[in-house]
Amino acid sequence: METHFVPTGAGPDIPIHWTEAGQGGEPLFAVLGALGTPAAFYGRLASALAERGWSSAVVEQRGLGESAVRPSREADWDFTDVVGTDLPAALAWVRERAGGRPVHLLGHSLGGHYAQMVAGLRPEMFDGLVLPACGSPWTEAYDGPTRAQISQLVEVIPALSEQHGYYPGSQVGFGGDEASGVMADWRHLALTNRYRFAGDDAALVPAIAAYDGPVLAIRMADDAFAPEAAVRACTDRFSATTPEVRVLTAEQIGAAADHFGWAKQPGAVVEAIATWLGQGAAER
């Protein structure tokens, strides 16, 4: 794995963890991680993709891992900065390295939301979407303890961000330390199931609906943070394409079928992607 630092021209360089598995016609995956989750967490996924002959580029989120900045009162950003500045620069770099290979966005949780926003804004930059463990945090999609937890977060995020100058996820126990702007937009998503971009939460609705490329959503059977209703709240955004939804159990994964366990044992997810691409075990 190599780490490259990609300039954006309007923000800090974006670290990209690159794993080259060959220069054939196989697909390449640009991996976008979950809230507060550094790129290094997806090392096993990159290795599993490489075993399949698929190269990957794990994009570090601004403020995490090897990023040169950390969120603070003086350093703040939001969905618009990530999706409008960071990801176009990162994906342009990935496209160049791909050498004509198809590029799929593989977005986990928040990374899946970023991927859906890119689908509406810049669909020409990739060839398909893979959304493992990606459910909307919209409170209406939950019940029981998880709904209570998300509702409590919605209440406390503004005060925590004001007090600290950033969202102290490492103290709260949900996500990592994140920029106040990112968490304000996440909170808006939890309240409305709508993405806010450049201060507008309506412009992306028809844009995402018009995306007509392939989509694979992979739901983990015991994922409290991406249950069926929350995944459906994401896939229902698409009108011009019909997302394929697969469900993986703990038995299939070989680890907990929850929000993060799949990435520690990613073989089942990689096999689900292979089947979706027509390259599954029976086709090998």
Side-chain angles (χ1 to χ4, degrees):
M1 181 182 292
E2 308 168 354
T3 302
H4 300 265
F5 292 84
V6 176
T8 67
D13 291 355
I14 304 301
I16 296 180
H17 296 251
W18 173 262
T19 301
E20 178 62 70
Q23 291 287 348
E26 299 291 350
L28 184 153
F29 292 86
V31 179
L32 310 179
L35 180 73
T37 307
F41 176 75
Y42 299 96
R44 292 181 184 178
L45 174 62
S47 295
L49 292 169
E51 289 175 5
R52 264 278 176 180
W54 300 337
S55 300
S56 64
V58 184
V59 180
E60 191 83 83
Q61 288 188 52
R62 191 189 298 205
L64 298 177
E66 296 190 43
S67 174
V69 298
R70 290 295 182 266
S72 68
R73 210 174 298 279
E74 293 72 32
D76 193 18
W77 56 89
D78 56 16
F79 283 8
T80 302
D81 296 307
V82 174
V83 178
T85 298
D86 296 354
L87 292 184
L91 292 176
W93 184 91
V94 171
R95 270 291 192 195
E96 184 176 354
R97 289 294 295 260
R101 286 171 287 179
V103 174
H104 296 289
L105 295 188
L106 193 160
H108 173 210
S109 197
L110 178 62
H113 296 297
Y114 287 153
Q116 289 174 75
M117 295 174 75
V118 173
L121 294 166
R122 303 291 296 273
E124 75 283 357
M125 300 198 78
F126 65 97
D127 300 284
L129 286 178
V130 179
L131 307 173
C134 179
S136 174
W138 186 36
T139 53
E140 295 300 314
Y142 297 83
D143 54 22
T146 305
R147 178 167 182 158
Q149 182 179 4
I150 294 175
S151 297
Q152 183 179 25
L153 280 167
V154 164
E155 292 296 321
V156 302
I157 282 170
L160 287 172
S161 296
E162 177 62 28
Q163 178 183 355
H164 295 270
Y166 64 94
Y167 166 74
S170 59
Q171 299 178 37
V172 174
F174 182 89
D177 294 346
E178 286 281 357
S180 297
V182 166
M183 292 309 294
D185 286 344
W186 184 92
R187 179 178 185 269
H188 184 78
L189 179 60
L191 288 169
T192 66
N193 196 33
R194 290 166 75 113
Y195 299 128
R196 190 159 55 187
F197 184 83
D200 186 349
D201 73 350
L204 276 174
V205 173
I208 296 173
Y211 171 75
D212 60 0
V215 179
L216 171 64
I218 306 175
R219 180 168 67 83
M220 312 307 157
D222 305 316
D223 189 350
F225 290 106
E228 182 178 2
V231 172
R232 190 168 58 248
C234 293
T235 57
D236 282 354
R237 294 191 177 103
F238 299 101
S239 297
T241 189
T242 301
E244 181 173 334
V245 181
R246 292 179 179 267
V247 181
L248 295 179
T249 66
E251 183 179 7
Q252 291 171 299
I253 295 169
D258 60 17
H259 207 55
F260 290 99
W262 69 270
K264 300 173 184 177
Q265 295 283 352
V269 164
V270 173
E271 186 60 37
I273 296 170
T275 301
W276 175 64
L277 293 172
Q279 300 177 20
E283 291 81 14
R284 279 189 247 165

